[in-house]
Amino acid sequence: MSSKLKVVDLFSGCGGFSYGFEKAGFEVVLGVDNDKAALDTFKLNHKNSDIILGDLHLDSTLDEIENKIGGKQIDVIIAGPPCQGFSLTGSRKANDDRNRLFYSVFKLANRLKPKAVIIENVPGLATLYEGRAKTAILEEFDNLGLTKNFKVLYAPDYEVPQIRRRIFFVGLIEELGVFDFPEKILSEGKYNTCLKAIGDLPSRLDDLGEEIDSYDKPAESEYQTMMRNGNDVLFNHVGTKHTDLVINVISQVPEGGNHRDLPPGVGDSRKFNEAWTRYHSNKPSKTIDTGHRNHFHYKYNRVPTVRENARLQSFPDNFRFLGTKTQQYRQVGNAVPPLLGFHIAKKLLTYLDKKGE
Ligand SMILES: C[S@@+](CC[C@H](N)C(=O)[O-])C[C@H]1O[C@@H](n2cnc3c(N)ncnc32)[C@H](O)[C@@H]1O
């Protein structure tokens, strides 16, 4: 049996968080999600992990997890539940469905007794229900006898070329102390940019590309070399052919601009905050979301391909996404950037390696 520290990933999606943990030297024994396409992607990229396609609302899914683990000591539970899964509006009875999604993490932790529990979510969770959501989560760590800490991390500080912010709650068993979040790796001015992240990828304007393809030039930055990861084929780099109207509108948005930079009468069909956003080549990208309509390449008049979004999320090029294009974009946008996960996992190792065994 492997001597690596063992991880269970709840709400695993395609496994961005898991990928970071594996890179740091953990063994992800199991991923659980109710989305078949995401789990297919998870399995393809985590060949040694088990998967469960199941609804984490259900206690029977928790039973299935326990059975699958078969008595192995699990060191870490990581979880990125959807934030709609948190509700304080119902009663806190164990069987209240509205609470169960989030609380399934704590219920499983109570059964498996891991040394660490990490929950990731959108920063808005900290202020949800006037802060009571956050307080309720911290109370659950208390109930499990875990120490607790939480922090909003800014992805560019951890080498990710994207201005994503996410909150992380970390609970540790008492003897390990309180988790201190990893120091920043990069500071402003040194951040990885869109150009450094995706500048080497083929344009895919008229030639929309195949699902499996190849590079047309060498890597041009350290980040691109890291993302190529020795890979020589290109997956999921399929261009989108827009209507002439869309191409005409986006061609008028300057780098780093959005609908506010358009002349009067142009692009009026979309006017919300992120509409007609064009990335800036010399800055990290906007937060990658689960859609593929509102953000555009810094240079080409099209939305980024799944692979470009994956690069901006720090997925290496050998990480392949399955499902329809819409499902692939959703998997990428939902994920914890693997590099961010990696830096958290590396820091966690310093606690578990010292006194965890
Ligand atoms: C934010 S994503 C997690 C992404 C993942 N941590 C990663 O790094 O790739 C949330 C996931 O929760 C899953 N999910 C939502 N409701 C669920 C449920 N009732 N049971 C199991 N999984 C669920 C979704 O399919 C989605 O993949």
Side-chain angles (χ1 to χ4, degrees), residues 11-17 33-35 54-57 80 82 101 334-336:
F11 307 96
S12 62
C14 67
F17 210 1
D33 204 284
N34 68 353
D35 179 327
D55 183 353
L56 284 160
H57 273 117
L101 209 45
N334 261 335
V336 173

Side-chain angles (χ1 to χ4, degrees), residues 277-290:
T277 295
R278 188 192 272 289
Y279 294 154
H280 198 297
S281 53
N282 290 324
K283 292 182 181 168
S285 77
K286 298 279 184 187
T287 303
I288 304 297
D289 59 16
T290 53

Side-chain angles (χ1 to χ4, degrees), residues 227-263:
M227 291 296 108
R228 288 193 183 200
N229 201 19
N231 200 45
D232 54 11
V233 276
L234 197 46
F235 302 114
N236 310 109
H237 189 53
V238 180
T240 297
K241 184 102 182 108
H242 298 288
T243 61
D244 289 346
L245 179 81
V246 168
I247 294 171
N248 177 46
V249 174
I250 193 60
S251 67
Q252 298 182 63
V253 179
E255 281 199 46
N258 60 29
H259 68 95
R260 286 180 215 92
D261 301 294
L262 286 166

